[in-house]
Amino acid sequence: MDNKNQIIEDAIRAFTQNRTEEQLADTLSVFRQNLDKELIVSVVQSGEGLTLSPVRTSNGKQWFTVFTSFDEQLKGKAQVQSMFSASLEKVFKVALESDNIDGVIINPYGNSISLERPILQVVLGKAR
């Protein structure tokens, strides 16, 4: 199966193998250039309709988790949830609009990257 998000996975892998400021800048540049890519998201019913399903990490922070492919999503041990697709840009915007969300984790069960709110703003071009 063709992975339409291979470029995003490659950028994350490059950063996890070389955690430097330069590599982070390169990775964020890839995200910025691919904001239209569709990612797999889990959703839950809320008072306003469907919303992204948050997870709480051991440090108490709350994140939205997204996946570059169904293969990445299946690596998790969580119960089956409703899965949809959303653009990288939409996921980042929803995270920034959600007061109780600290950021977004892409591919939390494999080669992953955690992007806190200030980084999401940089990727979307809202901070300099």
Side-chain angles (χ1 to χ4, degrees):
M1 179 183 226
D2 183 35
N3 183 353
K4 293 177 174 45
N5 292 321
Q6 190 64 51
I7 190 167
I8 293 172
E9 289 182 10
D10 291 345
I12 294 169
R13 188 173 302 105
F15 177 67
T16 60
Q17 293 172 351
N18 183 25
R19 292 181 177 269
T20 64
E21 286 186 26
E22 294 82 11
Q23 188 60 56
L24 177 60
D26 289 347
T27 300
L28 297 181
S29 179
V30 168
F31 293 163
R32 186 177 293 121
Q33 294 166 9
N34 289 278
L35 287 172
D36 62 327
K37 295 287 189 185
E38 294 285 316
L39 299 174
I40 310 300
V41 297
S42 61
V43 296
V44 293
Q45 185 72 36
S46 74
E48 298 91 39
L50 293 178
T51 187
L52 296 178
S53 175
V55 297
R56 186 174 303 280
T57 53
S58 59
N59 62 3
K61 291 187 175 189
Q62 234 179 200
W63 304 82
F64 288 142
T65 56
V66 297
F67 307 91
T68 53
S69 67
F70 282 110
D71 288 342
E72 284 294 329
Q73 188 268 330
L74 291 173
K75 290 179 182 178
K77 305 285 188 259
Q79 77 257 14
V80 175
Q81 299 178 349
S82 297
M83 305 304 281
F84 291 91
S85 66
S87 71
L88 193 58
E89 180 176 28
K90 180 68 175 171
V91 169
F92 288 1
K93 284 181 176 179
V94 170
L96 289 172
E97 293 166 359
S98 304
D99 293 334
N100 60 337
I101 296 298
D102 293 291
V104 173
I105 302 173
I106 302 174
N107 293 341
Y109 308 120
N111 267 331
S112 69
I113 190 167
S114 302
L115 306 169
E116 292 187 336
R117 296 173 72 89
I119 297 293
L120 299 178
Q121 291 173 331
V122 167
V123 171
L124 292 175
K126 296 183 186 237
R128 289 270 165 199

